[in-house]
Amino acid sequence: FIGKLTEKLPDAPGKDEPDSHSLVFSVFMVLPLLPSGALCREVIFSGSEEVGLNPDSLGCAVDAYAHHIAVDSMYEVVISDIQGIITPDHTIIFFDPQSHMAQGDSGYWDHGQSAITEFLESHKCNKHCKALGLDTE
């Protein structure tokens, strides 16, 4: 799940102070321990600042998922840096995505409205977007 703190975090420690914060950013994601090993395959679907334009069916579905997030959030949020692990039973587990929020407040990587605009200008709708009824403009 994705969480967002409702109260301000304490200031970060100074250069020579120990970092004893349990959270560094106010927006965070929690997920279970990821499987690994020779039978699992890591796949990168999009970059931290690049929209996914995947040619294969799974990649196109992930691109449509990113489009869905933008539409469902009323264009207030896009996700990038989408990567996942594909397990032997063909389950895919996403991990370590980045978010860009209209307010630009989800972390130092958040490029705010400019990243949302870039996504909307660069994303190419595919058959999955159309099947989900996502706007194609």
Side-chain angles (χ1 to χ4, degrees), residues 6-117:
T6 58
E7 295 183 21
K8 183 181 178 324
L9 287 168
D11 291 335
K15 181 180 177 188
D16 295 323
E17 296 178 75
D19 186 355
S20 60
H21 292 92
S22 58
L23 291 173
V24 177
F25 301 106
S26 62
V27 176
F28 57 92
M29 182 176 189
V30 177
L31 56 123
L33 182 63
L34 297 172
S36 62
L39 298 177
C40 296
R41 182 171 56 103
E42 182 179 340
V43 180
I44 298 173
F45 297 101
S46 65
S48 58
E49 297 180 28
E50 297 82 30
V51 171
L53 298 171
N54 293 285
D56 62 308
S57 184
L58 177 59
C60 286
V62 173
D63 294 345
Y65 172 69
H67 186 176
H68 162 73
I69 295 292
V71 170
D72 194 51
S73 71
M74 297 175 27
Y75 305 100
E76 293 286 315
V77 177
V78 296
I79 56 172
S80 64
D81 200 17
I82 303 172
Q83 30 194 332
I85 292 177
I86 301 175
T87 64
D89 68 355
H90 304 289
T91 298
I92 183 165
I93 302 168
F94 294 121
F95 66 91
D96 198 26
Q98 294 179 1
S99 61
H100 302 285
M101 303 176 116
Q103 303 85 359
D105 65 351
S106 68
Y108 70 89
W109 60 84
D110 187 341
H111 297 287
Q113 188 60 50
S114 65
I116 294 170
T117 300

